[in-house]
Amino acid sequence: MILKPDDVLERLRALRSRQPVRYWAFYSSQLGGIVTDPALMVIVFDDHMVHRGHGVFDTAALVEGKIYDLESHLDRFVRSARTSKLEIPAREAMRDIIVRSTAASGQRDGSIRYWATSGPGSLGLTPAKGAEPGFFVMVFAGLSYPETWYTQGLRVMTTTYPIKPPLYAVTKSTNYLPNVLMQMEAQERGLDNGVFVDEAGHVGESSNMNVAFVTEDGTLKHPTFDHILSGCTSLRLLELATALTTRKLLRDVRVCEIPVAEARAAREMMLFGSSVKVAPVVEWDGKPIGDGTPGPVARALRELLEQDMRTARDRLIDVPY
Ligand SMILES: Cc1ncc(COP(=O)(O)O)c(C=O)c1O
């Protein structure tokens, strides 16, 4: 069956109607512009991000018509691109394309994900001769999680999959196979997510979220960022959390290695991330965390973050709709 160009477009549209998506705007350096029809949000197959995973990405939140904390997401994107030997547009150009794509979406709440790729031109490993590096931006509805995650808390398991070696864990590349398998494994067992533990027995992170604890003595502890992704949400929450020491909800805030045994004895365990924000974990490997119900620190941190996402003027970019 050989298809004509018009047949291809029709079939791409049919695919999207069989499986509707909430993608609102897509910029592609390959197209040289923005499209809003999801059928046209495509990338050429021989781009090395597709068949070799030679690409990096990041995701920022769109909140009430403003982009939250884009600079810290761009910092990480630039670092990931450098480690992956990927060429990216100048930072100002990327910011401009991201803001314009968001404006083109017409939406005021959602997620903005962007990718850098090594480009098309061969099915080899290293970038093809003369390959044009790619830059793509997708403005979409974002990942959504059940409300029960916040009201009742999550149940997690230690994954059986090995944690990424530090170099790959700190780089936000499109190689998410361990993260995908970890979440699938948890779901297959009727749980919500998994947790990576490193070879030394220290807590790592979850699938697309960081993990933190409130220990018995009231210290908020977060794993060090040298072997896990440096979460923009975590970095901000670690700053915001100091307000909870004044309110006597916390005694201290620390970034340190966290042995699993200490973590299991925590009063509270929680997940941090741009999509999940702050969600309490109430059970880990079949055992309750604290009294097995969502705790006050997770609730307070979520409120602080929600407020920051709406009011931190120096972290918000107005979208010129
Ligand atoms: C593996 C991993 N860890 C942690 C995070 C949390 O990062 P952020 O707070 O920047 O969303 C993410 C999400 O990007 C992730 O993919």
Side-chain angles (χ1 to χ4, degrees):
M1 177 191 323
I2 305 227
L3 304 174
K4 297 196 193 68
D6 285 352
D7 299 333
V8 172
L9 186 55
E10 195 185 301
R11 281 164 191 238
L12 286 171
R13 291 225 160 90
L15 173 69
R16 295 311 192 176
S17 61
R18 286 200 301 279
Q19 190 187 20
V21 288
R22 296 208 291 160
Y23 303 159
W24 298 314
F26 177 70
Y27 167 85
S28 156
S29 61
Q30 290 171 352
L31 297 175
I34 299 167
V35 290
T36 55
D37 177 350
L40 303 176
M41 298 178 181
V42 293
I43 176 168
V44 296
F45 182 80
D46 61 339
D47 192 296
H48 286 210
M49 179 174 77
V50 177
H51 61 92
R52 296 296 189 186
H54 196 184
V56 296
F57 72 106
D58 220 297
T59 315
L62 171 63
V63 187
E64 295 178 350
K66 297 185 176 63
I67 305 174
Y68 175 67
D69 220 5
L70 182 61
E71 298 311 318
S72 94
H73 287 275
L74 282 176
D75 286 345
R76 187 170 66 189
F77 186 69
V78 170
R79 282 201 308 272
S80 294
R82 196 176 301 135
T83 315
S84 307
K85 303 191 180 196
L86 287 167
E87 268 178 57
I88 48 174
R91 190 173 175 122
E92 296 64 40
M94 293 193 291
R95 189 186 301 116
D96 184 53
I97 293 169
I98 288 168
V99 170
R100 287 209 222 180
S101 305
T102 309
S105 78
Q107 299 286 329
R108 303 184 66 81
D109 291 279
S111 284
I112 308 159
R113 185 168 297 172
Y114 38 95
W115 294 259
T117 81
S118 58
S122 80
L123 292 174
L125 283 158
T126 53
K129 196 162 177 293
E132 282 178 31
F135 182 65
F136 303 88
V137 181
M138 175 73 89
V139 186
F140 67 114
L143 307 183
S144 60
Y145 301 107
E147 190 48 34
T148 52
W149 280 24
Y150 304 97
T151 53
Q152 295 170 21
L154 289 95
R155 293 158 64 225
V156 301
M157 63 177 280
T158 304
T159 182
T160 62
Y161 292 99
I163 190 169
K164 289 177 187 171
L167 174 70
Y168 304 118
V170 302
T171 304
K172 203 163 165 58
S173 82
T174 51
N175 298 280
Y176 259 49
L177 185 59
N179 315 56
V180 170
L181 291 174
M182 168 161 78
Q183 204 171 48
M184 289 179 76
E185 174 183 51
Q187 285 172 359
E188 281 156 14
R189 294 177 197 202
L191 300 168
D192 299 304
N193 216 334
V195 178
F196 284 122
V197 171
D198 71 14
E199 279 170 13
H202 296 131
V203 177
E205 61 187 332
S206 185
S207 58
N208 55 336
M209 304 157 193
N210 289 111
V211 53
F213 301 86
V214 180
T215 53
E216 243 344 279
D217 70 347
T219 304
L220 177 69
K221 286 197 178 174
H222 192 292
T224 54
F225 293 105
D226 49 3
H227 66 316
I228 54 170
L229 193 76
S230 160
C232 299
T233 316
S234 287
L235 294 177
R236 185 58 178 152
L237 279 167
L238 288 166
E239 290 174 358
L240 296 173
T242 54
L244 302 186
T245 55
T246 347
R247 281 162 53 186
K248 303 279 183 246
L249 266 178
L250 286 176
R251 177 200 279 253
D252 198 4
V253 177
R254 286 187 60 204
V255 174
C256 55
E257 284 178 344
I258 309 174
V260 168
E262 182 186 351
R264 289 196 196 279
R267 265 192 223 170
E268 287 187 51
M269 175 175 182
M270 58 201 84
L271 299 175
F272 294 165
S274 299
S275 56
V276 74
K277 303 199 176 72
V278 180
V281 175
V282 294
E283 185 190 298
W284 182 11
D285 290 338
K287 302 205 181 63
I289 296 289
D291 66 2
T293 63
V297 174
R299 196 172 313 119
L301 286 175
R302 186 170 174 222
E303 280 165 17
L304 285 173
L305 184 66
E306 291 281 359
Q307 189 190 19
D308 196 60
M309 293 178 95
R310 284 163 180 81
T311 56
R313 282 305 321 163
D314 55 335
R315 287 172 186 263
L316 292 167
I317 297 179
D318 277 309
V319 177
Y321 292 101

